[in-house]
Amino acid sequence: MAGESQTISDYIVHHLTNLTYGKLPGGYHRHDGSTVQEGGVWTMAHGGEEATAMGFNAIHVDSMIWSIGLGILFCWLFRSIAKNASSDVPTGLTNAIEMVVGFVDNTVKDTFHGRNPMIAPLALTIFVWVFLMNLMDLLPVDLIPHTLMLVGVEYQKIVPSTDPNITMGMAVGVFILMLYYSIKVKGFGFVKELTLNPFNHPLFIPVNLFMEVVGLLAKPFSLGLRLFGNMYAGEMIFILIAALFSAGVMWMLPAALMQVGWAIFHILVITLQAFIFMVLTIVYLSMAHEDH
């Protein structure tokens, strides 16, 4: 049983390890027994320990490739549909995309109370891009990683939204837009908002500033970590169910049923998380445009 437990543990850890490229420090002892020469070396990490040793400058190559690739797919798909759009009644994929565009547009009209032509395209981009990244979670967990292992790629995580670097990167982008429009729209009023709210008295400026800054910084953290946490948990459940297939013949049917059931339920989760990320972005930018 200990051997089986260790095998399943290795299976889970392997699926949760990113394909990482970075610089190993000089003197580091690698998995093959070799020692990195002084000055370090840029290389692909072999396992989580080497990835950790690479530090902050390491790049999750798989997350970057899949997220950028899905972004390009989104742009190409919507551009193709837009170019071929006509006055006829839309059908198929064209109808589905028009429904998505209309849904996002109505959401922006109901939620955003300022005037900014960039908000609707931004909301559409966020919703579809996050949805596509989440949608990768429905692919069989072993399909692409195992296929790539046959050509020498040892690690591969195909769901970018299970990587906090991706979700927090998007959240930081939204945060920068929040600060930009807060300063642009409110000017010095933004400083007053941070220092004289909720207690409108000079003596309480330090207290107000502390509370407002904490609340301001909490927005990008909650935005990025909420998406990461939900998608990471969903991916973990898929991996655990997949691990049951190696536990014996008697577990194969229950595992298959659980896999299908969780996949059906997860369709709601991936759509809901994309919607929440989009709505919170709209709300935060709407607050940045409110000048009292």
Side-chain angles (χ1 to χ4, degrees):
M1 291 297 293
E4 293 180 4
S5 176
Q6 182 62 39
T7 301
I8 293 177
S9 175
D10 291 341
Y11 174 82
I12 294 172
V13 170
H14 183 273
H15 276 278
L16 296 178
T17 302
N18 285 94
L19 179 65
T20 307
Y21 180 80
K23 185 178 182 180
L24 286 173
Y28 182 84
H29 299 286
R30 302 202 66 183
H31 69 285
D32 57 3
S34 62
T35 301
V36 177
Q37 296 181 353
E38 187 176 351
V41 61
W42 288 89
T43 183
M44 288 289 185
H46 180 87
E49 291 185 2
E50 289 193 4
T52 301
M54 289 175 174
F56 181 78
N57 292 327
I59 299 174
H60 288 172
V61 179
D62 45 7
S63 295
M64 295 294 292
I65 290 176
W66 287 106
S67 59
I68 293 174
L70 291 170
I72 293 173
L73 174 64
F74 156 65
C75 293
W76 171 81
L77 180 62
F78 273 63
R79 183 176 183 274
S80 299
I81 295 297
K83 286 179 62 178
N84 298 324
S86 65
S87 58
D88 298 333
V89 178
T91 57
L93 183 60
T94 302
N95 184 47
I97 289 180
E98 287 193 6
M99 289 177 60
V100 171
V101 172
F103 168 72
V104 172
D105 186 57
N106 290 331
T107 303
V108 172
K109 290 178 179 178
D110 294 338
T111 310
F112 185 74
H113 306 300
R115 296 186 63 182
N116 190 331
M118 191 197 76
I119 301 302
L122 175 65
L124 177 64
T125 300
I126 287 176
F127 177 74
V128 178
W129 196 17
V130 173
F131 175 78
L132 289 176
M133 289 192 287
N134 294 350
L135 191 63
M136 298 298 291
D137 211 7
L138 296 184
L139 293 178
V141 295
D142 287 317
L143 178 62
I144 295 179
H146 181 70
T147 302
L148 291 176
M149 283 184 68
L150 298 178
V151 295
V153 180
E154 188 172 0
Y155 299 98
Q156 190 70 201
K157 284 182 66 177
I158 65 171
V159 188
S161 48
T162 60
D163 186 343
N165 295 284
I166 297 296
T167 60
M168 287 304 300
M170 296 177 65
V172 169
V174 173
F175 183 63
I176 291 173
L177 287 175
M178 288 169 51
L179 294 179
Y180 171 76
Y181 284 113
S182 293
I183 296 171
K184 180 180 179 180
V185 175
K186 303 174 185 179
F188 185 71
F190 182 51
V191 178
K192 293 176 62 178
E193 186 178 279
L194 294 177
T195 56
L196 298 177
N197 184 51
F199 305 111
N200 190 12
H201 193 284
L203 291 177
F204 288 96
I205 286 179
V207 177
N208 292 336
L209 187 61
F210 174 77
M211 291 192 297
E212 290 296 319
V213 168
V214 169
L216 190 65
L217 293 177
K219 292 176 181 176
F221 278 99
S222 64
L223 189 63
L225 293 180
R226 178 185 288 106
L227 176 60
F228 161 70
N230 281 277
M231 296 310 301
Y232 186 87
E235 177 73 356
M236 177 63 78
I237 292 176
F238 274 123
I239 294 172
L240 290 173
I241 294 175
L244 287 177
F245 285 100
S246 64
V249 177
M250 62 176 294
W251 285 100
M252 288 189 176
L253 180 59
L257 294 175
M258 286 189 287
Q259 192 87 313
V260 173
W262 180 245
I264 294 173
F265 174 75
H266 208 56
I267 294 174
L268 173 63
V269 174
I270 64 178
T271 307
L272 182 62
Q273 289 305 314
F275 175 73
I276 291 174
F277 200 101
M278 177 193 71
V279 169
L280 288 178
T281 298
I282 300 172
V283 169
Y284 291 159
L285 291 177
S286 179
M287 294 170 62
H289 282 74
E290 292 176 357
D291 187 15
H292 299 290

